[in-house]
């Protein structure tokens, strides 16, 4: 097989998901560069690469070396070392600092970093504190490199090494080699398949009990990703046997052992003459379901002093007073909703956009405060909480902040330290999964009321469980459903077409000035037209700011019309590289000042949560840090491994948009998006828009989703 050796000059493109890379290499002894392509995640400019592969002629990009295997060597020349250190590899070292370090130590630079890092203080302009930070960052990077080499030898994507190291620190390599299945259970972004490949490479047998037990947990985890809290026993056994390519008898033996050891929960709610249908749960989901059921029962059975006080009220005078003094005119259904919330310990308030849920809540809060009661308002996401605050005039918080979630992974508000309120309002409850619902209900104090508000026709929660839907179907608590479209929304094509979609009807195209379809049948046409609409046509026609007012929502992350590709295209159009605009590379992503970004996981240390959106306001190229100002005004600095938590947010998935509202939504929708085309996905996307909806794609895809 042909070989190619040389120095890596620069990386042109790199995919974080699979490591596919396009780069420029200067072959040994040559002055020119050649293009290399392949899965090369983890390589850095300045490194010496030893490549195996074959030369190919690309019809557009010309001659390329396609890599099948590679090895890396640390650079041996001073110039190579300087570019290697200044590539953004090490936190705190940019090109200027790398130049000073290599000028000080020359060809011995890497030896100094490895063996005498305290000597970094000899570098002009480097104080003791910064020298220590650079030394620690170098040590961390070398540990990650060791892990990458292990994964590469096993034929695995090396990008997961960063996640593994972030979780275990210096123990990462040891855990990966001795207990690989722990990775699947404990590390975000490292699934069973990766752990299983590591285990296979280390010689762990296919029928090893540790593998089968990990596989059973994996199958139950897959089910929870699909929204399920459990699997029936037979379905679990069959799925696990198929996934692991072992016998059902081997899975059954492992399952029985796990049940005896209380690693899993088997619920006895199904009659004993149907043992194959008994539900098998992961423990946290079993305890969450039981906890939610017990909490709802407790609330429904309690005697409420507040209900006793409100029950004899002269309601016609109460609502007349609201109308005269506050200008809040409530329909009969809204009045019934307010009255029920004040006189029943648990109540559900449902309805689509424009039906008056928030007006009802504003009236409810005013009435409670008029008599000295303490309402608390919360929602699952920061955006949803801000919308609730604006609509009611009262402070609303995210559920995590309300429950005072701490860096140690515990909720400070719980049964022993309940919330200080008389009525708790939870908005956007369709997003509430079973685990978070359990934590929330634990913290409701005795005698307090609970009001659950949501739109049952939206997408269900991303996490397991269907709390709002199950509560509605159980009919265990009173429910008021608002369905009348009020004056402010009566002329809205968004509200009217959302209702049509819910009823299984096609939108009324052309009847409204706030709802449009632009035809495109291929992913390439769809993506190009989406970018044109966002960057030119919508701003020119309606005056919206393309970077702050227009949100692209896609059903999928993958493909030309998916979130990842659209983010790259929109960034290139709206915030391209230009002199004077700082930028920072994190894997395949380039962040620039002015970019719209989203937090991708809950970070309780810094009080920023999955789904929080902000703008990059500063970048320090030397320190490789990014400063983001979030919508609540707080600024947070990201660097090193923390940059993995950020993603561009010009385009988001429909799921990620739940609980948010935007002035304009642009929705690419194609037949290629099957099987994601569902009515609740289309409905959720459409109802995220306040002023304008533009669907870009195929009428047949819209019809397929509605059907």
């Amino acid at each position: 097989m042909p070989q190619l050796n040389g120095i890596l000059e620069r990386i042109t493109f790199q995919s974080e998901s699979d490591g596919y890379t396009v780069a420029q290499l200067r072959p040994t002894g040559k002055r020119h560069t050649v293009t290399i392509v392949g899965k090369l995640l983890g390589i850095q400019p300045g490194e010496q690469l030893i490549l195996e592969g074959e030369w190919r002629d690309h019809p557009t990009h010309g001659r390329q070396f396609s890599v099948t295997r590679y090895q890396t060597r640390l650079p041996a020349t001073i110039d190579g070392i300087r570019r290697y250190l200044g590539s953004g590899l090490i936190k705190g070292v940019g090109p200027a600092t790398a130049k000073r370090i290599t000028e000080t130590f020359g060809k011995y630079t890497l030896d100094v970093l490895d063996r005498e890092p305290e000597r970094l203080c000899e570098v002009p302009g480097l104080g003791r504190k910064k020298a220590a930070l650079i030394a620690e960052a170098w040590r961390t990077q070398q540990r990650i490199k060791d892990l990458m080499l292990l994964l590469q030898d096993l034929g695995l994507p090396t990008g997961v090494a960063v996640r593994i190291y972030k979780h275990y620190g210096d123990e990462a390599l040891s855990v990966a080699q001795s207990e690989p299945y722990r990775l699947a259970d404990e590390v975000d972004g490292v699934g069973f398949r990766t752990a299983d490949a590591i285990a296979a490479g280390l010689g762990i047998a296919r029928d090893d009990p540790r593998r089968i037990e990990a596989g059973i947990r994996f199958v139950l985890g897959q089910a929870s990703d699909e929204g399920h809290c459990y699997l029936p026993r037979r379905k679990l056994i069959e799925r696990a046997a198929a996934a692991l390519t072992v016998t059902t008898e081997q899975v059954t033996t492992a399952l029985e052992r796990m049940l005896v050891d209380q690693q899993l929960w088997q619920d006895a709610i199904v009659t004993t003459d149907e043992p194959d249908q008994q539900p098998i749960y992961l423990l946290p989901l079993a305890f969450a379901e039981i906890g939610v059921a017990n909490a709802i029962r407790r609330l429904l059975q309690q005697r409420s002093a507040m209900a006793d006080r409100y029950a004899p009220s002269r309601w016609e005078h109460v609502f007349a007073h609201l109308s005269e003094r506050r200008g809040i005119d409530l329909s009969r259904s809204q009045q019934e909703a307010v009255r029920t919330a004040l006189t029943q310990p648990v109540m559900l308030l449902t309805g689509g956009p424009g039906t008056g849920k928030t007006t009802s809540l504003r009236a409810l809060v005013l009435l409670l405060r008029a008599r000295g009661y303490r309402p608390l308002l919360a929602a699952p996401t920061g955006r949803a909480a801000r919308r609730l605050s604006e609509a009611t005039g009262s402070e609303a918080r995210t559920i995590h902040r309300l429950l005072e979630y701490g860096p140690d992974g515990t909720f400070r508000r719980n049964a022993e330290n309940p919330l200080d309120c008389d009525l708790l309002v939870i908005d956007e409850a369709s997003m509430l999964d079973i685990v978070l619902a359990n934590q929330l209900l634990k913290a409701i104090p005795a005698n307090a009321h609970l009001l659950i508000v949501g739109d049952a026709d939206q997408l269900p929660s991303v996490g397991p469980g269907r709390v709002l839907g199950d509560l509605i179907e159980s009919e265990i608590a009173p429910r008021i459903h608002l369905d009348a479209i009020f004056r402010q929304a009566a002329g809205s094509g968004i509200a009217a077409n959302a209702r049509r979609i819910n009823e299984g009807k096609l939108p009324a195209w052309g009847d409204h000035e706030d709802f449009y379809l632009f035809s495109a049948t291929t992913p390439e046409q769809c993506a190009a037209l989406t970018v044109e609409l966002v960057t030119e046509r919508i701003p020119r026609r309606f005056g919206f700011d393309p970077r702050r007012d227009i949100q692209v929502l896609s059903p999928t992350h993958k493909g030309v019309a998916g979130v990842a590709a659209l983010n790259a295209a929109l960034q290139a159009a709206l915030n391209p590289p230009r002199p004077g605009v700082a930028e920072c590379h994190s894997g395949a992503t380039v962040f620039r000042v002015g970019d719209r970004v989203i937090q991708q996981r809950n970070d309780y240390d810094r009080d920023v949560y999955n789904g929080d959106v902000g703008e990059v306001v500063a970048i320090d190229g030397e320190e490789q840090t990014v400063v983001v100002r979030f919508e609540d005004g707080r600024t947070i600095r990201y660097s090193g491994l923390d940059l993995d938590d950020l993603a561009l947010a010009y385009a988001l998935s429909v799921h990620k948009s739940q609980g948010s509202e935007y002035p304009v939504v642009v929705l690419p929708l194609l037949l290629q998006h099957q099987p994601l085309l569902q009515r609740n996905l289309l409905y959720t996307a459409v109802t995220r828009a306040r002023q304008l909806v533009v669907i870009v794609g195929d009428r047949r895809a819209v019809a397929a989703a509605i059907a």
Side-chain angles (χ1 to χ4, degrees):
M1 181 174 287
Q3 280 197 342
L4 179 65
N5 301 341
I7 303 296
L8 183 67
E9 289 288 327
R10 66 181 181 275
I11 296 172
T12 307
F13 168 80
Q14 193 169 71
S15 167
E16 276 189 55
S17 60
D18 63 1
Y20 182 79
T21 302
V22 180
Q24 293 298 307
L25 182 90
R26 180 163 49 83
T28 303
K30 306 290 185 182
R31 292 187 176 183
H32 66 275
T33 63
V34 298
T35 301
I36 61 173
V37 298
K39 294 186 177 181
L40 300 162
L41 194 61
I43 61 174
Q44 296 293 335
E47 284 182 320
Q48 182 178 349
L49 300 184
I50 304 167
L51 310 173
E52 293 181 9
E54 60 182 351
W55 288 100
R56 293 178 180 172
D57 290 311
H58 191 281
T60 303
H61 303 295
R63 194 158 175 77
Q64 301 175 335
F65 190 80
S66 179
V67 180
T68 54
R69 286 187 60 80
Y70 70 101
Q71 293 179 306
T72 64
R73 296 286 184 269
L74 289 175
T77 67
I78 294 174
D79 182 60
I81 294 169
R82 176 183 57 75
R83 285 188 291 111
Y84 178 67
L85 295 180
S87 65
L89 171 76
I90 303 169
K91 177 181 175 182
V93 179
T97 302
K99 186 171 184 286
R100 295 202 304 274
I101 293 173
T102 52
E103 284 175 347
T104 303
F105 301 114
K107 65 181 181 180
Y108 301 107
T109 295
L110 299 183
D111 286 336
V112 169
L113 285 167
D114 279 335
R115 300 170 188 170
E116 302 176 278
E118 66 278 0
R119 291 187 59 195
L120 286 169
C121 295
E122 298 173 20
V123 177
L126 277 192
R128 189 177 301 277
K129 184 176 180 181
K130 184 166 183 180
L133 289 173
I134 292 173
E136 177 60 25
W138 171 259
R139 192 175 67 86
T140 295
Q141 193 60 41
Q142 295 314 108
R143 294 276 196 274
I144 294 172
K145 280 279 184 184
D146 292 341
L147 197 55
M148 283 180 171
L149 288 174
L150 169 69
L151 298 182
Q152 181 187 319
D153 288 344
L154 297 173
L156 295 168
T158 55
V160 300
V162 174
R163 295 190 182 97
I164 297 171
Y165 186 86
K166 198 169 182 179
H167 188 86
Y168 296 112
D170 290 347
E171 300 297 316
L173 186 60
S174 172
V175 172
Q177 290 175 320
S178 61
E179 302 176 89
Y181 290 111
R182 279 182 60 188
L183 306 180
D185 294 332
E186 299 173 1
V187 182
D188 287 340
V190 179
F192 172 79
R193 299 295 186 197
T194 298
D196 199 34
I198 294 172
L202 296 171
I204 294 176
R206 182 174 295 279
D207 60 354
D208 188 292
R210 292 171 296 173
R211 178 177 185 266
I212 298 176
E213 290 182 8
I216 290 171
R217 290 193 296 272
F218 163 66
V219 170
L220 285 171
Q222 276 188 319
S224 75
D225 290 342
E226 297 164 5
H228 304 301
C229 292
Y230 71 89
L231 282 177
R233 181 186 178 93
R234 172 158 293 281
K235 183 171 285 190
L236 170 60
I237 292 171
E238 290 172 349
R239 280 197 190 185
L244 297 168
T245 59
V246 296
T247 67
T248 56
E249 290 76 15
Q250 288 171 315
V251 174
T252 301
T253 299
L255 176 59
E256 293 299 339
R257 184 169 56 248
M258 295 173 80
L259 290 170
V260 170
D261 294 343
Q262 297 186 336
Q263 296 181 51
L264 302 174
W265 178 276
Q266 179 172 278
D267 201 312
I269 59 171
V270 179
T271 57
T272 53
D273 60 342
E274 296 182 281
D276 287 350
Q277 297 304 310
Q278 287 186 321
I280 307 293
Y281 289 79
L282 293 168
L283 292 181
L285 299 183
F287 296 155
E289 271 209 346
I290 294 166
V292 168
N294 287 339
I296 293 292
R297 183 188 300 114
R298 169 179 65 83
L299 290 168
L300 287 168
Q301 292 175 347
Q302 71 184 7
R303 180 174 180 82
S304 165
M306 187 169 77
D308 291 341
R309 185 175 179 188
Y310 274 107
S313 298
R314 299 172 63 192
W315 292 104
E316 65 277 9
H317 293 292
V318 170
F319 295 126
H321 180 81
L322 275 174
S323 177
E324 294 165 6
R325 299 291 180 89
R326 299 287 187 168
I328 300 176
D329 294 311
L330 300 179
S331 68
R332 289 190 178 277
S333 295
Q334 289 174 305
Q335 291 178 13
E336 180 65 18
V338 171
R339 183 163 57 244
T340 304
L342 294 171
T343 57
Q344 295 291 330
V346 181
M347 178 204 155
L348 310 178
L349 176 61
T350 60
T355 55
K357 297 191 300 294
T358 51
T359 301
S360 303
L361 293 179
R362 189 162 74 250
L364 176 65
V365 168
L366 286 171
L367 292 177
L368 285 164
R369 291 207 164 125
R371 291 197 178 183
Y373 287 115
R374 302 155 300 170
L376 278 180
L377 284 69
T381 67
R383 277 187 166 237
R386 281 189 291 279
R387 284 178 49 213
L388 185 58
S389 293
E390 292 163 3
T392 61
S394 297
E395 181 192 11
R397 285 174 272 177
T398 64
I399 295 173
H400 281 90
R401 288 194 179 111
L402 183 78
L403 297 179
E404 300 175 21
Y405 195 94
D408 60 351
T410 62
F411 292 93
R412 295 192 180 94
R413 292 290 185 170
N414 47 43
E416 289 71 40
N417 182 31
L419 296 166
D420 186 18
C421 68
D422 297 298
L423 183 143
L424 177 63
V425 176
I426 302 301
D427 198 14
E428 295 289 354
S430 62
M431 300 173 65
L432 197 59
D433 64 53
I434 194 72
V435 176
L436 188 56
N438 182 41
Q439 297 295 340
L440 180 66
L441 295 178
K442 283 181 187 176
I444 298 178
N447 299 319
H449 286 204
L450 173 64
L451 173 57
I452 298 174
V453 184
D455 185 346
D457 297 312
Q458 287 186 29
L459 286 167
S461 63
V462 174
R466 184 172 162 266
V467 177
L468 178 62
D470 286 347
L471 282 171
I472 290 170
E473 290 180 9
S474 73
E475 299 183 350
I476 198 169
R479 173 197 180 199
I480 304 296
H481 180 68
L482 304 178
D483 57 6
I485 302 293
F486 285 90
R487 282 193 303 272
Q488 61 269 33
S492 164
I494 298 171
N497 281 327
R499 173 170 284 189
R500 289 181 64 87
I501 290 166
N502 241 351
E503 293 170 348
K505 301 174 184 175
L506 286 170
W509 307 115
D511 290 356
H512 302 278
E513 290 295 311
D514 61 358
F515 204 100
Y516 296 90
L517 171 74
F518 285 82
S519 181
T521 54
T522 70
E524 292 75 16
Q525 289 176 338
C526 182
L529 184 52
T530 296
V531 173
E532 181 186 348
L533 284 161
V534 171
T535 60
E536 299 175 21
R537 295 169 69 170
I538 293 174
R540 185 170 61 241
R541 166 76 184 275
F542 297 98
F544 290 109
D545 183 327
R547 282 204 285 185
R548 292 177 175 81
D549 296 335
I550 305 174
Q551 183 63 61
V552 176
L553 302 178
S554 177
T556 180
H557 283 273
K558 299 178 181 179
V560 177
V563 170
L566 287 171
N567 263 319
L570 288 164
Q571 183 193 45
L574 294 171
N575 196 24
R578 52 203 187 278
V581 177
E583 60 181 43
C584 174
H585 292 250
S586 174
T589 304
V590 179
F591 296 110
R592 298 189 185 98
V593 171
D595 277 335
R596 187 159 72 196
V597 293
I598 187 168
Q599 173 78 10
Q600 298 192 100
R601 72 173 186 91
N602 292 333
D603 185 336
Y604 305 108
D605 291 330
R606 294 189 290 184
D607 198 28
V608 59
Y609 299 94
N610 186 7
D612 285 353
V613 173
E615 181 180 338
V616 176
V617 293
I619 289 176
D620 186 326
E622 181 71 16
E623 300 284 350
Q624 289 290 293
T625 59
V626 174
V627 179
V628 178
R629 182 175 59 234
F630 285 93
E631 291 176 329
D632 60 5
R634 294 179 307 123
T635 59
I636 294 178
R637 184 178 300 272
Y638 292 79
S639 61
L641 300 181
D642 294 333
L643 285 168
D644 289 346
D645 296 342
L646 286 180
L648 296 174
Y650 298 102
L652 299 175
S653 69
V654 178
H655 276 93
K656 190 71 85 173
S657 74
Q658 284 182 267
S660 300
E661 271 192 352
Y662 314 96
V664 181
V665 163
V666 177
L667 175 66
L669 210 65
L670 296 164
L671 285 173
Q672 287 90 335
H673 290 147
Q674 296 273 24
L676 297 169
L677 298 180
Q678 296 182 10
R679 187 182 301 177
N680 56 4
L681 180 135
L682 177 59
Y683 175 83
T684 300
V686 165
T687 55
R688 298 311 89 206
R690 287 197 302 269
Q691 295 169 259
L692 179 66
V693 169
V694 178
I695 297 176
V696 186
D698 195 325
R699 287 175 185 262
R700 294 172 299 171
V702 178
I706 292 170

